[in-house]
Amino acid sequence: MNKLIYYLGISIFLFSCSKEEDVYLPKYTYEEGEELSVGRLTTTILGSNAFDQPIPNLSTIDNRLFFVGNSLFRQNWVSAPASTTARDGLGPTFNARSCSACHNKDGRGLPLQEGQSFSNGFLMRVSLPGNSTNGGPNPVEFYGDQIQEHANLGVSYEAKVSIRFETITGQFSDGETYELRKPIYTIADEQFGTLQNALTSPRVGPQVIGLGFIDAISNQDILTNVDENDQNEDGISGKANYVWNVQKQQHELGRFGWKANQPNLTQQVAGAFHGDMGLTSSLFPNENCPTIQQDCLDSVNGGIPEVTDDALHNVMIYSTSLSVPIRRNYEKEEVLKGKHLFKEMKCSGCHIEAFTTSSYSFNRSLENIRIRPYSDFLLHDMGEDLADNRPDFFASGKEWRTQPLWGIGMIEEVNNHTFFLHDGRARNIEEAILWHGGEAQNSKESYKNLTKEDRTAVLAFINSL
């Protein structure tokens, strides 16, 4: 009898322990290595300089060139002629004097605000209906494809852009209300004819971390996620953009830029030097001066080209060698729950978590690395509210490339703001979600129907990236 009572007691005790363990067993699990944004090349240095860090174990030569490229990225270019011959040739018209003006500390630029005549990181694309000879946007006669708001001494700027906001209100299913700011842009003070009928597209410079890893993804891996006709009927299509490679003189898959309108990182960098700072290179050898702008055409240049191949190479070493910071709070239950909800809402249909890089001759150290950018680098219809109605190669006026989310939770610490989306209209991550439409409409509605606790968990997950 005593033995029976003893064994019964043990059974009850074990059963009780089992039930107690079940109560505290985590519902959502951490995946080994998910915090490593770019695998073993992830930087663990956080804080305000989290985006400035090179990948670990750069060779002695590449480490030296990394800092040379960093200097070219950060320091202001000046107009020619100048004693600083390695950095003269700015303009004659331009949007910024340095790369870092739009990508401060390798982070995100600032949008235009009410009462401002310009902003560090904002620019306005322009074009006319139709296509250029290579299939891209049709430039505006006398202006080109981008408004230059600044100019060197003795040269006229092109026009000025201003902004005002309209308020849009809404509410979540639990009754909590929210407000969004709809930007309304005005172009004025045009110096070379009217721009009132031009197609426009406002842009803000994004963070530039991890670009080399994106360049190292194979075309095949990106194209695997194309579903232009939505054959799987999940409401998400995913469309490739095919854009002009100026070196090869042919169309190739686009992967960089807000519309995936650049085929590789070299052209993205050279294009920014040319379009944003008016600097020529071997890829873009002609001055960025439309024919009617005679003062621009007559200006002294800073050499032919102004950005030498060596300088471009060094900026490329810098750009490809920037790491991505390690995730924070990735094992917290709230963050893991948010990750689960993120997938459940099908946000991961466009923000695909992981790729493995392929061969990459420019920087072999980036090859065969498991990366977690949370993007498919494809075009998606984002709805009327986000439409710029300006086509760009195969991208329609409603389509945008999926923005990588890695590092998004560090932008506030690095750049002291949380303005998101292509034009910075969203004042925080939640507003960015609420602007989603088109293919992301169902995901947005799912988010709006979550409880406050679950919405907080989703935001905690995104902030951990």
Side-chain angles (χ1 to χ4, degrees):
M1 183 65 180
N2 288 338
K3 284 186 178 182
L4 179 61
I5 294 172
Y6 171 78
Y7 286 121
L8 182 60
I10 289 293
S11 298
I12 293 171
F13 173 75
L14 291 174
F15 178 76
S16 299
C17 288
S18 175
K19 293 299 287 182
E20 191 72 17
E21 288 173 0
D22 286 345
V23 170
Y24 293 103
L25 189 67
K27 186 176 180 181
Y28 308 103
T29 57
Y30 155 76
E31 299 169 26
E32 187 68 30
E34 69 171 274
E35 76 278 14
L36 302 176
S37 305
V38 288
R40 56 181 171 78
L41 300 181
T42 303
T43 179
T44 58
I45 297 175
L46 300 176
S48 62
N49 294 315
F51 292 170
D52 293 345
Q53 304 307 313
I55 59 175
N57 302 319
L58 278 176
S59 69
T60 302
I61 294 176
D62 283 353
N63 189 59
R64 177 174 60 82
L65 294 180
F66 177 88
F67 288 102
V68 174
N70 186 14
S71 174
L72 289 166
F73 189 91
R74 288 176 177 275
Q75 293 189 21
N76 285 346
W77 290 71
V78 297
S79 59
S83 58
T84 312
T85 56
R87 290 188 178 86
D88 72 344
L90 174 71
T93 59
F94 57 92
N95 288 114
R97 291 178 170 83
S98 68
C99 304
S100 61
C102 295
H103 311 281
N104 182 34
K105 302 175 79 172
D106 298 297
R108 186 172 168 79
L110 284 165
L112 194 65
Q113 295 295 328
E114 289 181 323
Q116 291 183 334
S117 58
F118 62 88
S119 174
N120 289 328
F122 174 86
L123 60 87
M124 181 67 80
R125 301 264 194 231
V126 292
S127 61
L128 295 175
N131 298 320
S132 66
T133 55
N134 61 22
N138 188 20
V140 179
E141 188 179 17
F142 309 144
Y143 287 96
D145 64 359
Q146 183 172 318
I147 294 176
Q148 309 290 345
E149 295 185 321
H150 304 287
N152 294 337
L153 186 65
V155 179
S156 176
Y157 60 84
E158 293 185 337
K160 296 295 182 181
V161 181
S162 60
I163 191 174
R164 64 182 177 85
F165 294 100
E166 292 180 355
T167 300
I168 298 175
T169 60
Q171 68 177 32
F172 300 103
S173 61
D174 60 11
E176 182 179 337
T177 60
Y178 61 81
E179 289 186 350
L180 303 177
R181 302 185 311 164
K182 179 182 178 181
I184 308 295
Y185 295 95
T186 300
I187 299 173
D189 202 16
E190 302 108 306
Q191 300 296 301
F192 303 100
T194 183
L195 284 166
Q196 299 308 307
N197 296 319
L199 306 177
T200 60
S201 185
R203 309 285 174 84
V204 169
Q207 63 270 32
V208 294
I209 53 174
L211 297 184
F213 296 93
I214 298 171
D215 214 22
I217 302 172
S218 71
N219 286 352
Q220 181 181 354
D221 284 350
I222 292 176
L223 293 174
T224 295
N225 296 304
V226 169
D227 185 18
E228 190 168 348
N229 298 315
D230 192 20
Q231 292 183 348
N232 62 2
E233 299 181 346
D234 65 351
I236 298 171
S237 61
K239 173 181 166 184
N241 202 0
Y242 287 92
V243 303
W244 190 245
N245 184 316
V246 298
Q247 289 179 299
K248 295 182 179 179
Q249 292 290 292
Q250 65 184 33
H251 288 94
E252 291 186 351
L253 176 69
R255 66 179 69 201
F256 290 101
W258 287 104
K259 294 270 189 179
N261 65 343
Q262 294 290 5
N264 55 60
L265 186 54
T266 303
Q267 188 165 313
Q268 171 70 27
V269 171
F273 272 128
H274 190 249
D276 299 342
M277 290 180 277
L279 295 165
T280 60
S281 65
S282 58
L283 275 72
F284 299 98
N286 299 320
E287 291 289 348
N288 190 16
C289 298
T291 53
I292 199 175
Q293 297 184 27
Q294 196 60 45
D295 289 339
C296 182
L297 291 165
D298 292 342
S299 295
V300 178
N301 65 52
I304 304 174
E306 290 158 332
V307 180
T308 66
D309 284 347
D310 283 345
L312 184 59
H313 176 81
N314 293 338
V315 175
M316 276 292 294
I317 289 288
Y318 176 69
S319 299
T320 61
S321 300
L322 280 173
S323 185
V324 181
I326 193 169
R327 287 180 54 198
R328 292 80 46 213
N329 305 319
Y330 50 88
E331 290 184 290
K332 285 190 173 181
E333 188 169 353
E334 181 184 47
V335 170
L336 293 171
K337 179 183 181 182
K339 180 180 71 170
H340 170 77
L341 292 168
F342 186 86
K343 293 178 180 178
E344 197 173 64
M345 294 187 301
K346 297 184 178 180
C347 302
S348 55
C350 300
H351 292 283
I352 291 174
E353 178 181 356
F355 288 85
T356 298
T357 58
S358 63
S359 60
Y360 189 53
S361 59
F362 187 85
N363 192 335
R364 297 287 187 189
S365 60
L366 306 188
E367 295 181 347
N368 197 33
I369 302 293
R370 186 71 167 169
I371 64 172
R372 293 173 170 81
Y374 285 88
S375 172
D376 60 5
F377 307 103
L378 296 173
L379 300 171
H380 294 275
D381 182 340
M382 295 299 292
E384 290 291 346
D385 288 341
L386 286 180
D388 64 356
N389 298 312
R390 179 181 180 269
D392 200 333
F393 291 97
F394 286 84
S396 76
K398 295 194 294 184
E399 290 174 327
W400 299 93
R401 185 200 71 158
T402 306
Q403 177 71 0
L405 296 182
W406 54 14
I408 191 171
M410 294 297 302
I411 288 174
E412 183 172 14
E413 189 162 1
V414 172
N415 296 127
N416 299 311
H417 73 79
T418 56
F419 293 110
F420 296 112
L421 297 179
H422 64 279
D423 58 359
R425 69 177 66 190
R427 292 168 290 188
N428 51 55
I429 291 172
E430 184 165 76
E431 286 191 11
I433 294 171
L434 294 170
W435 274 110
H436 280 51
E439 295 174 40
Q441 182 70 30
N442 290 338
S443 296
K444 178 182 73 176
E445 293 303 323
S446 295
Y447 179 81
K448 290 173 65 175
N449 287 325
L450 294 177
T451 65
K452 176 71 171 180
E453 179 182 338
D454 285 353
R455 295 198 301 272
T456 301
V458 171
L459 297 177
F461 164 67
I462 296 173
N463 271 305
S464 78
L465 298 176

